[in-house]
Amino acid sequence: MDRGFILKEYGRTKIYEIPSFNQTGLVSHGFTTRVGGVGGKPYDTLNLAFHVGDSPEVVINNRQIVCHILGAKTDNIVSARQVHGADIAVVDHRHAGCGALAGDTAIPNTDGLITDRPGLLLATFYADCVPIFILDPLNKVIGSVHAGWKGTAARIGAKAVKIMEETYGSDPGQCLVGIGPSIGPCCYEVDRPVIEAFQSEFGWWPDILLPAGNEKARLDLWTANLKIMVEAGIDPDNVELARICSCCNQHIFFSYRGSHGKTGRMGAFLMLKP
Ligand SMILES: [Zn+2]
């Protein structure tokens, strides 16, 4: 546990990777930073999402940079229109290219993607929310989940594990998990509705809500998602937790909160090698 992500450099482009995922030899993956793309302010430079107001040509160019590094085809990107919900799609080659070259072709109303098909590049996008990577190395199944506070409160990571069990016979005890860079408890102050949502859902809420005065708290989404995954049957020794705050490190990450909403998106990419 807590062995962390490692920062790799490919030319000018910097990407975080999960050592245990690399050790399997089964997947290409990474959590991108804002470093090493071609975009201008406020999306400088490696914005990977179409919906934030950046030039579509820049986004496509940036996706090509990342796909080249990962050995993936841009035509095989599968992405979703994320809505901070808890719906997850099991995808196959019929979904190849969804959202690859334009936002309006993405799978609607979905915050998690699962597949057992090699060559499909699962892509989800982030500016402070938590990226969760899941790999079942025995059955060769992958899952990628976008967990903001709403998705976390809805246990979207555990939901993905359950779908992998039911659809592919995955054993949670054998799965590897990475919980990536995202806004940390240092910066994520929340108010009463968020506090109450976590207090009503999780008996261990004192571990993740740190009192901040004025009826506010600082929310630890890293520990919350770790606990949720362990409750879902994941071995804590199989979890790698980045513990890197996107808001504290805006020289390398886009941060929605840190930029007051006007910024780009990092990508969490995960693909079974073809
Ligand atoms: Zn921080």
Side-chain angles (χ1 to χ4, degrees):
M1 191 163 65
D2 279 26
R3 286 163 300 171
F5 284 45
I6 52 165
L7 186 60
K8 297 268 279 259
E9 298 190 22
Y10 299 91
R12 294 182 306 116
T13 306
K14 297 183 179 182
I15 296 180
Y16 279 92
E17 297 177 8
I18 309 165
S20 63
F21 279 44
N22 282 334
Q23 281 159 16
T24 68
L26 295 173
V27 292
S28 291
H29 79 288
F31 185 71
T32 61
T33 64
R34 69 187 298 167
V35 181
V38 297
K41 287 182 189 302
Y43 310 109
D44 49 308
T45 57
L46 191 62
N47 168 50
L48 291 161
F50 289 110
H51 69 280
V52 295
D54 198 358
S55 142
E57 290 74 25
V58 166
V59 175
I60 290 170
N61 198 329
N62 283 340
R63 288 184 176 195
Q64 286 168 340
I65 291 170
V66 173
C67 282
H68 180 72
I69 291 167
L70 297 176
K73 295 188 179 132
T74 48
D75 291 346
N76 283 342
I77 289 174
V78 181
S79 67
R81 229 172 305 161
Q82 300 163 196
V83 292
H84 294 274
D87 285 345
I88 295 169
V90 175
V91 300
D92 59 34
H93 283 107
R94 289 170 296 180
H95 300 92
C98 283
L101 301 175
D104 58 5
T105 62
I107 299 169
N109 300 328
T110 298
D111 285 83
L113 299 166
I114 292 171
T115 194
D116 70 342
R117 305 302 161 94
L120 284 185
L121 182 63
L122 306 184
T124 48
F125 303 103
Y126 300 83
D128 290 337
C129 289
V130 183
I132 304 177
F133 298 77
I134 309 167
L135 168 59
D136 168 0
L138 299 183
N139 295 291
K140 300 187 177 64
V141 182
I142 53 175
S144 187
V145 167
H146 166 254
W149 78 260
K150 287 181 182 168
T152 302
R155 295 181 169 81
I156 188 171
K159 197 173 165 189
V161 171
K162 188 145 189 273
I163 292 171
M164 289 170 65
E165 282 184 78
E166 291 170 353
T167 308
Y168 299 108
S170 297
D171 173 1
Q174 301 294 327
C175 289
L176 306 178
V177 169
I179 298 173
S182 42
I183 195 166
C186 39
C187 294
Y188 194 31
E189 192 171 271
V190 296
D191 53 18
R192 185 178 281 276
V194 180
I195 294 168
E196 288 176 350
F198 280 82
Q199 285 178 331
S200 66
E201 197 61 42
F202 303 105
W204 35 259
W205 65 264
D207 296 342
I208 58 163
L209 287 166
L210 319 169
N214 289 329
E215 301 193 342
K216 291 179 184 286
R218 285 181 292 112
L219 175 57
D220 182 350
L221 289 175
W222 302 333
T223 301
N225 280 294
L226 171 62
K227 285 176 170 286
I228 287 164
M229 296 309 268
V230 170
E231 284 179 354
I234 302 292
D235 182 341
D237 287 338
N238 288 341
V239 180
E240 302 220 33
L241 197 47
R243 289 196 188 280
I244 301 168
C245 175
S246 48
C247 193
C248 283
N249 295 287
Q250 291 177 59
H251 60 291
I252 190 162
F253 297 114
F254 299 115
S255 171
Y256 187 90
R257 185 163 283 212
S259 66
H260 308 288
K262 196 74 177 164
T263 193
R265 296 290 182 276
M266 283 85 70
F269 294 92
L270 182 56
M271 175 182 80
L272 289 161
K273 287 185 181 173

